[in-house]
Amino acid sequence: MKKVKYKMGKLGKHNFMKRYSSISKYLPDTQAATKSKMIEMLGRYGSLYLKPDEGTGGRGIYKITKTDKKYILKGGTASRSYDSFEELYRSLHNLLVKNKYVVQKSIDLLKHNKRPLDIRVMVQTNRNRQLVVTGIIGRLAKARKIVTNFHSGGTPLPIETLLQSHLTGSKRSNYIKEIGKLGKQASVVLRESYRRNKAFGVDIAIDSNLKPWILEINTRPDMSIFNALKNKTMYRKILRYSKLKG
């Protein structure tokens, strides 16, 4: 496949991965946050996320929902409603002028104890420069928050714990393996552009039908989230791989 260079914020990575059929079906619709795209996507999906193109840690993320009579904007735990899209857009205008944002189809996230969850898959290179999964962790959103990120109050938990009310026994363990495979597959694709990168943090959402969605891939993933688990086995493994030469 011919190499195409993109500016690799969220949208650049999305557009790069979208060219690969093995991955594209797991990518939620993501576009530049223009006024026309926001109107179009709200009409199509009813709800979307507004994200900084190059932001990390869950900061600056908003959720926009269209109801029968209102438009609701939620950020953090705060929520405001507007009578029209024009009114909503005016409130965001300065933010969108100063920063590059993307809009992404909202996923109806799977929940644990009535709180949304998602997954971080850590993928690193071994001594032979092959990509391997070194850790999988669940992230549970803080009550009433729209993001699951650790630095935005999300709680890191074993993925087995978060999936226990949805899958049991071998079905759960096989599902977790498939999530790991998807994280690795996405990292293999993105490494076509990030040749020298030694670690990828793949954020995967699971919808209410248990379909996984690749929200984004971090090329400088924070390892500290794995240290928050009581069992330090994964964290120690990730640290070992981070120190490998080659």
Side-chain angles (χ1 to χ4, degrees):
M1 183 176 285
K2 184 180 177 182
K3 300 289 189 298
V4 179
K5 288 189 176 181
Y6 293 93
K7 183 179 179 183
M8 290 298 191
K10 288 183 178 67
L11 187 58
K13 292 172 187 171
H14 173 88
N15 287 339
F16 184 85
M17 292 189 293
K18 193 166 66 173
R19 297 156 55 230
Y20 293 78
S21 58
S22 61
I23 291 297
S24 60
K25 61 186 175 183
Y26 300 106
L27 299 174
D29 190 4
T30 305
Q31 306 284 343
T34 64
K35 185 178 182 180
S36 59
K37 279 295 177 187
M38 291 168 72
I39 293 171
E40 176 191 328
M41 289 175 69
L42 278 172
R44 188 181 305 164
Y45 305 120
S47 181
L48 55 83
Y49 277 91
L50 186 64
K51 300 180 175 183
D53 187 52
E54 297 185 7
T56 58
R59 291 178 289 273
I61 294 178
Y62 299 88
K63 185 176 183 180
I64 302 172
T65 303
K66 179 184 178 183
T67 67
D68 289 341
K69 297 181 179 179
K70 299 281 186 178
Y71 290 84
I72 299 167
L73 177 68
K74 188 168 184 180
T77 56
S79 182
R80 288 190 63 184
S81 65
Y82 300 87
D83 293 328
S84 68
F85 178 80
E86 291 295 331
E87 187 182 349
L88 165 70
Y89 189 76
R90 280 197 298 273
S91 75
L92 294 169
H93 183 259
N94 288 341
L95 178 75
L96 298 178
V97 167
K98 292 177 183 177
N99 306 278
K100 186 177 179 182
Y101 265 76
V102 301
V103 280
Q104 187 173 77
K105 171 189 173 182
S106 177
I107 305 299
D108 180 21
L109 291 176
L110 199 67
K111 292 179 175 61
H112 175 74
N113 291 339
K114 300 182 180 180
R115 290 156 60 185
L117 65 94
D118 68 9
I119 298 168
R120 163 65 61 88
V121 180
M122 180 68 81
V123 182
Q124 294 171 279
T125 55
N126 61 17
R127 294 187 187 278
N128 299 318
R129 289 288 298 165
Q130 297 170 321
L131 288 170
V132 294
V133 176
T134 52
I136 303 178
I137 193 170
R139 304 184 300 187
L140 188 64
K142 190 175 180 179
R144 297 184 298 280
K145 276 212 168 186
I146 61 170
V147 295
T148 61
N149 302 69
F150 183 33
H151 297 292
S152 296
T155 304
L157 289 167
I159 184 59
E160 292 84 359
T161 300
L162 296 185
L163 292 179
Q164 66 186 3
S165 59
H166 304 283
L167 293 164
T168 57
S170 61
K171 285 186 178 180
R172 185 172 63 203
S173 58
N174 289 336
Y175 186 82
I176 293 169
K177 287 177 185 175
E178 291 303 313
I179 291 294
K181 287 179 183 177
L182 179 59
K184 177 181 174 179
Q185 190 177 13
S187 300
V188 168
V189 164
L190 193 59
R191 193 169 66 163
E192 289 296 311
S193 183
Y194 285 82
R195 294 281 186 179
R196 297 182 179 180
N197 220 62
K198 298 174 74 173
F200 298 90
V202 186
D203 290 341
I204 297 177
I206 301 174
D207 68 21
S208 53
N209 295 316
L210 294 181
K211 178 181 176 178
W213 296 88
I214 300 167
L215 297 178
E216 63 178 284
I217 302 183
N218 299 274
T219 51
R220 290 184 293 175
D222 180 12
M223 302 175 188
S224 64
I225 183 174
F226 290 90
N227 194 31
L229 295 178
K230 289 182 180 179
N231 186 329
K232 306 296 180 185
T233 305
M234 273 193 291
Y235 181 62
R236 286 194 290 266
K237 182 177 182 179
I238 289 165
L239 282 183
R240 278 201 317 274
Y241 272 75
S242 71
K243 294 171 184 176
L244 291 179
K245 304 295 182 184

